[in-house]
């Protein structure tokens, strides 16, 4: 039975994942190499919980209780007794592989190791561990406390027992599961990133302004936000990284990243987080 959760990476996704597990009663160890990032994560989690309480989504007492279930640490060895770990660091393959190698040596042989990767093959991640049957993809959507979907990805060696336990966790978090095979982009990004990339091409080719492209997709297809606004929200560097995974994984020119997207990332225009993307923030 899973009681203790390890979350690796205290950024936007990591703090959201820690938030939901702690909210549903799990003891959470939140790991990051940077103390300021850990402090920022706890502040963000508390603010988001207070917002939920103000809206009546959760009771006021749950704010303190939830934060109290999260222990922060800069030492990965503190995750030694975690039953289930979720890696949520930057979408950079060498970093993820290095973390899984180290984590595999630290936690108990029975522990399951999950990755929140949005595009890197789970089979490849699992191959650097001594427990490929206990490695699985658990891709949460952003913002984690709000979004209902968790994309589950089975690696080539992921066991049925690992899959069943992960599925049970998704249900306990009151989220919905979509199951994908381990191919580049999985389900969501396989469909989403080419759409965003095509919207960038439309801007690049002068078909319309960013505002009209987004208005067309919002009002014409009933999406909550336009693709360029969404790209800024995700982070243009992340969009480009996933586009490159699709392009390299399939070797199909339909996935090639738009030159404008590449140029903007090179210029440091990353979207909301940098204050400038397709829009200025």
């Amino acid at each position: 039975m899973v009681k203790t959760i390890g979350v690796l990476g205290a950024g936007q996704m990591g703090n959201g994942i820690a938030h939901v597990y702690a909210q549903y009663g799990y003891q959470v160890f939140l790991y990051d190499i940077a103390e300021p990032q850990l402090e920022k994560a706890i502040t963000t989690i508390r603010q988001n919980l207070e917002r939920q309480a103000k809206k009546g989504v959760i009771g006021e007492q749950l704010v303190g209780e939830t934060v109290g279930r999260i222990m922060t640490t800069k030492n990965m060895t503190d995750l030694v007794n975690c039953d289930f770990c979720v890696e949520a660091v930057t979408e950079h393959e060498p970093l993820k592989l290095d973390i899984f190698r180290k984590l595999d040596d630290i936690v108990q042989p029975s522990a399951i190791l999950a990755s929140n990767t949005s595009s890197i093959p789970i089979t490849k991640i699992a191959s650097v561990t001594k427990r490929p049957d206990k490695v699985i993809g658990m891709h949460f959507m952003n913002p984690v406390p709000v979004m209902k979907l968790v994309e589950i990805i089975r690696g080539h060696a992921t066991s049925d027992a690992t899959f069943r336990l992960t599925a049970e966790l998704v249900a306990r978090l009151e989220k919905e599961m979509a199951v994908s095979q381990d191919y580049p982009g999985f389900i969501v990004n396989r469909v989403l990133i080419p759409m965003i990339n095509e919207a960038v091409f439309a801007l690049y080719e002068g078909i319309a302004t960013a505002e009209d492209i987004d208005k067309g997709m919002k009002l014409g297809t009933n999406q909550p936000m336009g693709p360029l606004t969404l790209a800024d929200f995700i982070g243009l560097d992340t969009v480009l990284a996933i586009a490159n995974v699709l392009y390299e994984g399939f070797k199909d020119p339909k996935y090639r990243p738009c030159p404008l997207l590449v140029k903007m990332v090179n210029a440091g225009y990353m979207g909301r987080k940098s204050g400038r993307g397709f829009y200025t923030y």
Side-chain angles (χ1 to χ4, degrees):
M1 184 179 176
V2 175
K3 292 182 179 178
T4 309
I5 304 288
V7 178
L8 296 96
Q12 191 173 39
M13 294 304 295
N15 78 57
I17 294 166
H19 171 151
V20 293
Y21 273 114
Q23 182 182 327
Y24 283 87
Y26 293 95
Q27 177 67 46
V28 176
F29 284 84
L30 178 59
Y31 161 82
D32 200 284
I33 57 170
E35 186 65 40
Q37 189 66 56
L38 289 167
E39 292 170 3
K40 182 182 176 185
I42 294 299
T43 300
T44 300
I45 291 167
R46 186 180 292 278
Q47 288 172 345
N48 287 338
L49 285 162
E50 288 170 350
R51 194 176 295 118
Q52 285 176 300
K54 198 170 286 183
K55 290 179 179 177
V57 176
I58 61 172
E60 291 280 354
Q61 83 287 348
L62 204 55
V63 176
E65 289 175 8
T66 298
V67 174
R69 281 192 282 266
I70 302 172
M71 303 288 292
T72 62
T73 180
K74 288 170 62 184
N75 299 310
M76 200 186 294
T77 51
D78 287 340
L79 276 61
V80 62
N81 292 317
C82 290
D83 307 306
F84 193 102
C85 293
V86 185
E87 167 275 315
V89 303
T90 307
E91 197 72 355
H92 181 57
E93 187 176 300
L95 175 61
K96 288 186 187 288
L97 297 184
D98 184 53
I99 281 176
F100 271 80
R101 280 190 201 98
K102 291 174 180 173
L103 190 61
D104 185 45
D105 288 334
I106 290 168
V107 298
Q108 304 299 320
S110 58
I112 289 172
L113 310 182
S115 177
N116 182 61
T117 180
S118 54
S119 60
I120 295 166
I122 300 303
T123 301
K124 191 164 191 178
I125 291 172
S127 72
V128 302
T129 75
K130 296 181 285 292
R131 65 183 89 198
D133 60 312
K134 291 185 172 68
V135 178
I136 195 165
M138 194 179 197
H139 179 211
F140 289 84
M141 304 295 130
N142 187 30
V144 180
V146 176
M147 300 292 277
K148 283 292 183 186
L149 182 71
V150 181
E151 195 174 31
I152 300 300
I153 305 97
R154 298 186 68 151
H156 190 69
T158 304
S159 70
D160 289 343
T162 296
F163 174 77
R164 281 195 301 271
L165 190 144
T166 307
E168 286 168 13
L169 277 177
V170 173
R172 285 183 190 145
L173 298 177
E174 295 185 12
K175 294 191 182 293
E176 294 286 335
M177 178 177 71
V179 183
S180 173
Q181 292 300 311
D182 191 20
Y183 293 108
F186 315 136
I187 302 168
V188 175
N189 283 319
R190 172 78 179 268
V191 176
L192 176 64
I193 297 301
M195 183 195 74
I196 290 175
N197 194 47
E198 197 60 33
V200 182
F201 266 112
L203 181 65
Y204 172 66
E205 293 168 7
I207 291 170
T209 64
E211 290 80 5
D212 279 349
I213 291 166
D214 277 353
K215 185 190 291 183
M217 295 305 292
K218 272 182 70 177
L219 304 183
T221 64
N222 205 29
Q223 295 182 29
M225 66 174 79
L228 300 178
T229 300
L230 179 56
D232 279 354
F233 180 74
I234 294 169
L236 302 194
D237 52 338
T238 302
V239 172
L240 178 59
I242 301 168
N244 280 324
V245 166
L246 290 170
Y247 186 41
E248 290 160 15
F250 290 113
K251 302 293 190 290
D252 188 328
K254 75 177 180 180
Y255 295 114
R256 73 199 187 285
C258 177
L260 176 59
L261 178 62
V262 175
K263 186 165 76 168
M264 290 177 72
V265 171
N266 287 341
Y269 292 6
M270 305 300 184
R272 279 181 178 269
K273 62 186 173 186
S274 70
R276 183 86 182 267
F278 293 106
Y279 300 93
T280 302
Y281 301 90

